[in-house]
Amino acid sequence: VQLQASGGGLVQAGGSLRLSCAASGRTFSSYNMGWFRQAPGKEREFVAAITWDDYSTYYGESVRGRFTISKNAKNTVNLQMNSLKPEDTAVYYCAAGRRFSVLGNAYDYWGQGTLVTVSS
């Protein structure tokens, strides 16, 4: 499985961005997908995850109610980010794994990251 994240950019506080993660590989549909982020000088943080069958989603406390993770039939996982705050500034990574988890080490494949900058 190969992952390619995109959609990052500069946005003002209160604005929205939509990140996408394009996956290649015939077994993509059997993987749980997650989004993580890492701000400068901080540890990697769990953002959101979705099960391989779209049955369940889970969100980190800091983004719950503002971000939405979804999958589509084109092997893409999206992260819709609304009401963005300056503290959401980070490099965002998508990941794929056999386990549905908030832990980064549960994921087997990672995208290259896309930078989101939220100005105040």
Side-chain angles (χ1 to χ4, degrees):
V1 175
Q2 293 184 329
L3 305 174
Q4 180 74 35
S6 62
L10 174 64
V11 63
Q12 289 187 334
S16 298
L17 276 178
R18 184 179 179 87
L19 304 184
S20 294
C21 177
S24 61
R26 60 185 178 90
T27 60
F28 165 75
S29 60
S30 64
Y31 281 84
N32 302 302
M33 301 298 296
W35 283 95
F36 292 79
R37 67 186 183 186
Q38 188 164 21
K42 295 187 177 181
E43 294 185 352
R44 183 174 60 194
E45 177 187 12
F46 168 77
V47 175
I50 187 167
T51 54
W52 66 273
D53 58 359
D54 296 351
Y55 185 77
S56 295
T57 57
Y58 191 73
Y59 297 90
E61 185 174 352
S62 62
V63 306
R64 198 168 296 153
R66 300 187 296 122
F67 291 11
T68 302
I69 188 171
S70 62
K71 294 172 65 178
N72 63 30
K74 296 182 179 180
N75 283 5
T76 301
V77 177
N78 300 307
L79 185 69
Q80 178 66 40
M81 305 186 297
N82 298 328
S83 303
L84 283 161
K85 305 175 182 180
E87 51 264 44
D88 294 318
T89 295
V91 177
Y92 284 70
Y93 299 90
C94 60
R98 294 292 189 183
R99 288 187 291 160
F100 183 62
S101 175
V102 303
L103 300 177
N105 59 16
Y107 293 81
D108 304 305
Y109 303 95
W110 291 82
Q112 85 288 2
T114 184
L115 177 63
V116 172
T117 304
V118 184
S119 63
S120 58

